[in-house]
Amino acid sequence: MSIPRSCPPTDVVAADFTEQAGLFKALGDPHRLTILATLARSESDVCVCDFTAGLPLNQPTVSHHLKILRDANLVAARRRGTWVYYTLAADVRRRMGAALGSVLPKKVLV
Amino acid sequence: MSIPRSCPPTDVVAADFTEQAGLFKALGDPHRLTILATLARSESDVCVCDFTAGLPLNQPTVSHHLKILRDANLVAARRRGTWVYYTLAADVRRRMGAALGSVLPKKVLV
DNA sequence: GTGTAATATCGACGTATGTCGATACCACGT
DNA sequence: ACGTGGTATCGACATACGTCGATATTACAC
């Protein structure tokens, strides 16, 4: 005799995780994480020119990554004169914690 | 007179976030998050057949997503007879917290 | 061994993503 | 007005990704 299939079958969670996946996708590039880490550690907002100078990427590519972070509401841009400065969104950690919590319920915390 | 550039310039963080980005990338698909959420809520391990039955995906696609989660060490597979059962890796939440913390330092917690 | 059922792998396809050069836009100094 | 310099957008390219049908693999029942 063989091993029977586990009974009863498990129901797949019905919730839609499209939004959370979009958040994680925005975090799924090392250069974007570098940008976020820099913003998180900076006392003030950070000039785009610092990113183009400090990252091994051309200026359009930096701008592209900043746009992805903007679209995900992870950063905010503000123009002062010729330069544009970026800041980390205030609720980044809260949103990430919420996304994580919606996937892994409290039970897993223990 | 114009507004001068912020001085001194901010140094871009030197750390390499390739590993953390790989983790977030594995989480960047709604179906994979559904799989993880199901595993996190299940009392026991979950049969692959429950995923193929419960997800709007064909069997090869389900297997593909499970492989990505396996390669990211987010889940573990175990064969019992004909069926294969998956469990959530024990340190998933710890690893995600660590990745998040390496990008956003404690300071942002407040 | 043969047949059947569950899972994994392979090959192909369309689309999304990261990157860059060229260009447009915008603010400033002259 | 004109030129200059910082930033954003556009178009193109190579690669990666999500999906599927076909096939291979594994374990069981007969």
Side-chain angles (χ1 to χ4, degrees):
Chain A
M1 195 170 65
S2 76
I3 305 164
R5 183 212 183 291
S6 80
C7 198
T10 304
D11 287 327
V12 170
V13 170
D16 178 41
F17 290 101
T18 305
E19 201 170 313
Q20 291 90 330
L23 213 189
F24 289 127
K25 202 176 285 192
L27 300 171
D29 179 275
H31 295 129
R32 288 198 289 273
L33 292 184
T34 303
I35 291 173
L36 292 178
T38 301
L39 292 175
R41 286 162 178 75
S42 171
E43 300 289 332
S44 57
D45 45 13
V46 178
C47 179
V48 173
C49 60
D50 289 332
F51 292 124
T52 58
L55 290 172
L57 300 171
N58 282 25
Q59 180 267 323
T61 306
V62 172
S63 195
H64 170 69
H65 286 305
L66 289 172
K67 174 169 175 48
I68 289 178
L69 294 173
R70 259 178 4 236
D71 290 347
N73 287 310
L74 292 171
V75 302
R78 188 189 160 200
R79 172 158 233 137
R80 283 206 298 276
T82 303
W83 291 277
V84 177
Y85 296 83
Y86 278 76
T87 54
L88 200 64
D91 61 349
V92 168
R93 188 177 272 267
R94 188 192 56 71
R95 284 180 55 209
M96 295 200 47
L100 179 50
S102 71
V103 176
L104 308 182
K106 314 275 158 47
K107 204 189 309 180
V108 186
L109 259 174
V110 185
Chain B
M1 194 171 67
S2 77
I3 305 164
R5 183 214 183 290
S6 80
C7 199
T10 303
D11 286 327
V12 170
V13 170
D16 178 42
F17 291 101
T18 304
E19 202 171 314
Q20 292 90 330
L23 212 188
F24 289 127
K25 201 176 284 192
L27 300 171
D29 179 275
H31 295 129
R32 288 199 289 273
L33 292 183
T34 304
I35 292 174
L36 292 177
T38 301
L39 292 175
R41 286 162 178 76
S42 171
E43 300 288 333
S44 56
D45 45 14
V46 178
C47 179
V48 172
C49 61
D50 289 332
F51 291 124
T52 58
L55 290 172
L57 300 171
N58 282 25
Q59 180 267 323
T61 305
V62 171
S63 196
H64 169 70
H65 285 305
L66 288 172
K67 175 169 174 50
I68 289 177
L69 294 174
R70 264 185 352 245
D71 290 346
N73 288 309
L74 292 171
V75 302
R78 186 187 162 201
R79 173 157 233 138
R80 282 204 301 276
T82 305
W83 292 276
V84 177
Y85 297 83
Y86 278 77
T87 55
L88 199 66
D91 61 349
V92 168
R93 188 177 272 267
R94 187 191 58 72
R95 283 179 58 209
M96 295 199 46
L100 179 50
S102 70
V103 176
L104 309 183
K106 313 276 158 47
K107 205 189 308 181
V108 185
L109 261 173
V110 186

